Amino acid sequence: MSEAPPILIVDDQAKLVRLVTELMNRLGFPEVEGVTDGPQALEQLRTKRYGLVISDLDMEPMDGIQLLREIRADDTLHNTPFILTETSFSFEDINVAHLAGADAFILKPFDLSLLKTKLKQVLNGRPRKRETPVGPLSSLNVDFPLLGKF
């Protein structure tokens, strides 16, 4: 990764910020910064351009979903790739995060090969389109034999 983008790590546990920073450095990302809460992250994001945010879900005073929503609502930040991390995700967590615009989810502790795969997917992804609202209904139009048409 010759021109690796700067990365912002957000986690309320300083030890995890250091650990993820070290992992990212080993993966070839030389410019990795970390903060310990959402408001600090927003301040950093508004002063410097980051190519990726990796944020913990469960933080105070602003959790990862709130941070994500703030980023997606900001015209200059809305295309910033965002990976959410947590020790476990419920289906509801994943659904809410997906609707808020999360690009990927990674369970802690990180599996290095999975982290690499997720990074490639997220960093090579397409920019998001603001004019396309997320509808509550499925866009699937498939007839499943036992389930009927969706």
Side-chain angles (χ1 to χ4, degrees), residues 77-92:
L77 302 175
H78 78 274
N79 274 326
T80 306
F82 194 99
I83 297 177
L84 205 54
T85 66
E86 190 52 73
T87 53
S88 67
F89 286 106
S90 70
F91 178 76
E92 184 179 345

Side-chain angles (χ1 to χ4, degrees), residues 10-84:
V10 188
D11 198 303
D12 56 354
Q13 295 182 33
K15 286 182 180 182
L16 282 173
V17 169
R18 288 191 301 273
L19 174 68
V20 177
T21 299
E22 179 64 29
L23 278 174
M24 298 308 289
N25 290 154
R26 287 182 187 177
L27 290 174
F29 295 90
E31 195 175 347
V32 182
E33 297 174 13
V35 295
T36 55
D37 65 44
Q40 285 180 328
L42 285 173
E43 188 176 317
Q44 284 290 107
L45 286 160
R46 290 182 174 132
T47 60
K48 181 178 180 177
R49 201 91 172 134
Y50 290 91
L52 174 65
V53 174
I54 300 175
S55 176
D56 185 33
L57 173 65
D58 189 21
M59 301 183 293
E60 292 292 331
M62 176 186 289
D63 67 23
I65 299 291
Q66 292 169 309
L67 174 60
L68 174 58
R69 286 181 176 141
E70 290 284 331
I71 290 170
R72 294 296 181 244
D74 188 303
D75 288 338
T76 59
L77 302 175
H78 78 274
N79 274 326
T80 306
F82 194 99
I83 297 177
L84 205 54

Side-chain angles (χ1 to χ4, degrees), residues 65 68 72 82-84 94 96-105 128:
I65 299 291
L68 174 58
R72 294 296 181 244
F82 194 99
I83 297 177
L84 205 54
I94 292 172
V96 168
H98 177 71
L99 291 174
D103 295 296
F105 308 91
R128 52 183 72 256

